[in-house]
Amino acid sequence: MDAMCLALEEARAAAARGEVPVGAVVLAPDGTVLARAGNRTEADHDAAAHAELLAMREAAQRLGTPRLAGCDLVVTLEPCPMCAAAAALFRIRRLIFGAYDPKGGGVEHGPRIFDAATCLHRPEIVGGVREREAAALLRAFFATLRGP
């Protein structure tokens, strides 16, 4: 099963828990899964409990290092500015994301964290992977919140 498929599974599980459906996976340099997570902001009462941060923290713990050099981050939604900055600090090699986020994104939209002169590390970026599927999960989730 590919990493985006795993991230989408995490997003679906997050939605089932009442969380915004975002999922993330961190891959080791050899492609093995180091960590996977879905959003837990509501469950943890933590505005920073985004899937990306949770997965990167778990991967760093598993590797015993604050840097994830050579590792890839796969996430179903374009990371927000906070998560993009964290990916730079964790030294992620490649960021792969699904749906674009014109309102809250921090990679291709908004502050474009990796383009800032103060950004110390810029990962390779691949956007739009299984974009329709990832976006459909988010639309369906928010439609149920708004009601008929």
Side-chain angles (χ1 to χ4, degrees):
M1 185 175 292
D2 75 10
M4 185 57 81
C5 190
L6 294 174
L8 286 162
E9 280 184 6
E10 290 292 335
R12 286 186 201 94
R17 296 188 308 269
E19 302 278 359
V20 174
V22 177
V25 174
V26 175
L27 300 174
D30 67 1
T32 59
V33 174
L34 287 173
R36 53 190 282 184
N39 275 356
R40 288 200 319 248
T41 58
E42 300 299 326
D44 292 359
H45 308 291
D46 180 355
H50 291 196
E52 304 96 302
L53 277 175
L54 298 171
M56 289 187 290
R57 287 174 178 159
E58 182 181 333
Q61 287 294 314
R62 282 192 65 192
L63 293 175
T65 176
R67 310 277 184 296
L68 298 174
C71 295
D72 297 342
L73 173 63
V74 180
V75 61
T76 58
L77 180 65
E78 175 184 350
C80 71
M82 173 184 69
C83 292
L89 292 171
F90 275 105
R91 306 295 197 268
I92 290 292
R93 171 181 64 176
R94 183 179 302 119
L95 167 63
I96 301 158
F97 68 86
Y100 290 86
D101 188 358
K103 184 177 177 182
V107 177
E108 299 289 334
H109 297 90
R112 298 178 184 252
I113 295 296
F114 303 125
D115 292 340
T118 56
C119 185
L120 300 176
H121 174 77
R122 178 179 169 76
E124 177 186 337
I125 300 166
V126 180
V129 176
R130 297 182 73 172
E131 177 182 6
R132 287 187 190 131
E133 188 175 354
L137 274 173
L138 289 157
R139 276 193 305 276
F141 176 80
F142 287 112
T144 59
L145 288 182
R146 291 184 200 103

